[in-house]
Amino acid sequence: MNPVSSMFDRLRSSEATFHMPVYGRQPVAFARGDGTRLWDTAGREYLDFVAGIAVMSVGHSHPKVVEAIRRQAGMLTHVSNLYYTEAQIQLAERLHELLGWGKVFFANSGAEANECAVKLARRWQREQGRPGRSGLVAALGSFHGRTVATLAATGQPAKHEPFAPLPPELVHHVPLNDEEALGAALDDGIGALLLEVVQGEGGINPATPEYLKAARELCDERGMLLIFDEVQTGLGRTGKWFGFQHAGVIPDVVTLAKALGGGLPIGACVAREEVADAFRPGDHATTFGGGPVPCAAALAVLDVISSEGLVENSARMGELLVAELREALESNPAVKDVRGVGLLVGVELAGEWSRDLVDACRERGLLVNNVRPDMIRLSPPLVVSADEVSRAVTILAEVLHGVAEKV
Ligand SMILES: Cc1ncc(COP(=O)(O)O)c(C=O)c1O
């Protein structure tokens, strides 16, 4: 038997036996990455337009990130938040510098960063003498994580159903970009509004600048916190350092994760100083959050994003990707829409074919991701080149041509 396929079969059978069956994995195991490329265990090369779900913004195995991880791990790996470490303190300073405001809590994931934001909103409202304002408003179609609170905040009823009942007093959902519905939902029981500036998992749905401005005004008028979940959109993904900079609307709290650690698990909840100071020692904590190794990796990631001009490249390559996709797919009846902000791009299909398309692209050496049955997401590393954009468009157009013939 071919040793590579027997190795893969062993991985698959072991996973089926020893893992909880929550993932519908694709039939490939990866061994190595470099920049925008991945190699599977058989040595086959792929162009990666998934980037570990919008995580590997500086590319796979960036030498500066690898070196920072190696150096920090060789010196000190973990001591917990009972003590100070230099990397964590520096990273908070760096995030403050990038935003121009804020105090940070470091978590281990996007969901945990959002969990912190939800608790902080309650704590802040209590400090204001409004303990009854424990509710949250979030958008339909949103995704905020898989913990109980962040799942409740996620505006996708199908994801709630197997775990009902979720805390019913916690979240009220409104349609995105409907100012009237938002005005009606932000009532006396609500302490905060949680929004993605572009819904990623929900299908690349941008909040309009007008909607974000109205959200800011309503929150100010009614004493509510505006929280932007920039776990997916932050740190250059949309062609600006933060997605909210497109609309010029500053939130009270912003959450980050994904790209921050360059592949190591780290999340950050950053809040305006006066809001952050509502927390008291002991109100919130984590054993691993802000560990020296992920913080050292994050410092290197932020340096690379700056020094290599990756925010600008994201804006340029994002425009090119959308323009080339629109041109290549213009007359394809299988395609309903192409849209994107920076390098967060979606191809909406006229039918539920995205799973098959992911397989067909992978067979041709291109990795893409199906966020919905009718939607393909493209979120390559921000180091992607114009040639690689064209190559991905050619493969996707070829595969979609095959679908169009069957429509
Ligand atoms: C906008 C947004 N928020 C939160 C999360 C949850 O992040 P994590 O999977 O790191 O918990 C995600 C993950 O896709 C996300 O896209």
Side-chain angles (χ1 to χ4, degrees):
M1 192 193 279
N2 176 339
V4 171
S5 67
S6 77
M7 201 264 268
F8 179 74
D9 290 344
R10 197 192 73 73
L11 294 180
R12 184 143 63 175
S13 122
S14 176
E15 196 242 15
T17 312
F18 298 117
H19 291 233
M20 294 192 190
V22 293
Y23 295 116
R25 293 183 212 261
Q26 295 172 42
V28 59
F30 287 109
R32 191 163 71 81
D34 184 9
T36 54
R37 309 301 165 109
L38 283 171
W39 285 266
D40 69 15
T41 45
R44 182 160 181 235
E45 184 180 319
Y46 299 80
L47 180 56
D48 182 10
F49 268 49
V50 176
I53 320 186
V55 166
M56 302 309 294
S57 287
V58 299
H60 294 281
S61 297
H62 192 290
K64 290 194 174 146
V65 178
V66 171
E67 177 50 27
I69 294 170
R70 220 193 286 276
R71 194 172 347 108
Q72 183 62 58
M75 224 154 56
L76 181 71
T77 306
H78 176 81
V79 289
S80 89
N81 289 301
L82 294 173
Y83 310 101
Y84 294 87
T85 59
E86 214 176 332
Q88 187 188 105
I89 303 296
Q90 274 179 15
L91 182 58
E93 287 172 5
R94 191 83 174 81
L95 289 174
H96 178 99
E97 242 172 64
L98 277 175
L99 282 158
W101 50 270
K103 288 187 173 185
V104 63
F105 174 85
F106 288 116
N108 305 287
S109 65
E112 281 183 47
N114 286 334
E115 196 76 36
C116 173
V118 171
K119 282 178 75 177
L120 179 61
R122 288 188 168 195
R123 192 70 180 88
W124 182 78
Q125 290 292 1
R126 197 169 279 267
E127 285 289 298
Q128 307 302 303
R130 303 186 289 241
R133 289 199 172 187
S134 54
L136 194 68
V137 167
L140 284 167
S142 62
F143 184 82
H144 298 294
R146 302 282 195 162
T147 63
V148 173
T150 59
L151 179 62
T154 291
Q156 301 186 38
K159 290 194 166 66
H160 294 179
E161 196 273 326
F163 305 103
L166 293 170
E169 69 288 8
L170 190 63
V171 190
H172 181 89
H173 287 105
V174 290
L176 185 67
N177 293 330
D178 181 337
E179 290 175 33
E180 213 177 301
L182 184 60
L186 293 174
D187 64 26
D188 280 355
I190 300 298
L193 169 62
L194 173 63
L195 291 174
E196 290 163 275
V197 291
V198 182
Q199 291 183 343
E201 301 304 303
I204 323 298
N205 306 313
T208 64
E210 299 72 39
Y211 184 73
L212 295 178
K213 283 180 188 133
R216 179 69 276 176
E217 277 164 25
L218 283 165
C219 285
D220 285 344
E221 272 166 34
R222 301 183 189 182
M224 291 157 193
L225 293 182
L226 180 59
I227 306 168
F228 286 159
D229 175 346
E230 294 240 20
V231 164
Q232 186 154 163
T233 50
L235 308 176
R237 174 59 54 193
T238 68
K240 299 231 184 241
W241 269 101
F242 301 98
F244 63 72
Q245 291 169 331
H246 289 280
V249 173
I250 313 285
D252 301 295
V253 182
V254 62
T255 56
L256 302 167
K258 289 205 183 271
L260 183 59
L264 295 198
I266 183 167
C269 173
V270 190
R272 186 157 66 69
E273 286 76 351
E274 179 261 329
V275 173
D277 286 339
F279 270 155
R280 297 281 173 273
D283 275 350
H284 197 51
T286 158
T287 300
F288 291 112
V293 180
C295 286
L299 284 165
V301 164
L302 297 178
D303 280 349
V304 170
I305 293 176
S306 294
S307 64
E308 296 188 9
L310 297 187
V311 179
E312 297 75 15
N313 197 57
S314 169
R316 266 197 315 270
M317 291 302 117
E319 264 180 39
L320 186 72
L321 179 56
V322 168
E324 289 196 4
L325 282 168
R326 285 194 176 141
E327 195 185 329
L329 303 175
E330 199 176 27
S331 56
N332 189 319
V335 176
K336 217 160 125 185
D337 191 24
V338 174
R339 57 180 178 267
V341 189
L343 281 171
L344 189 54
V345 173
V347 177
E348 190 172 2
L349 308 169
E352 301 201 338
W353 309 303
S354 67
R355 183 76 217 208
D356 291 344
L357 280 168
V358 165
D359 291 340
C361 285
R362 193 183 60 254
E363 278 153 24
R364 287 167 172 78
L366 173 69
L367 302 179
V368 298
N369 182 217
N370 50 326
V371 282
R372 290 193 331 224
D374 63 346
M375 170 73 75
I376 296 278
R377 173 179 49 197
L378 307 171
S379 58
L382 308 187
V383 294
V384 74
S385 69
D387 282 352
E388 290 167 334
V389 163
S390 300
R391 221 180 103 203
V393 171
T394 304
I395 295 172
L396 199 57
E398 200 179 286
V399 166
L400 276 160
H401 184 71
V403 177
E405 284 178 343
K406 291 186 223 143
V407 174

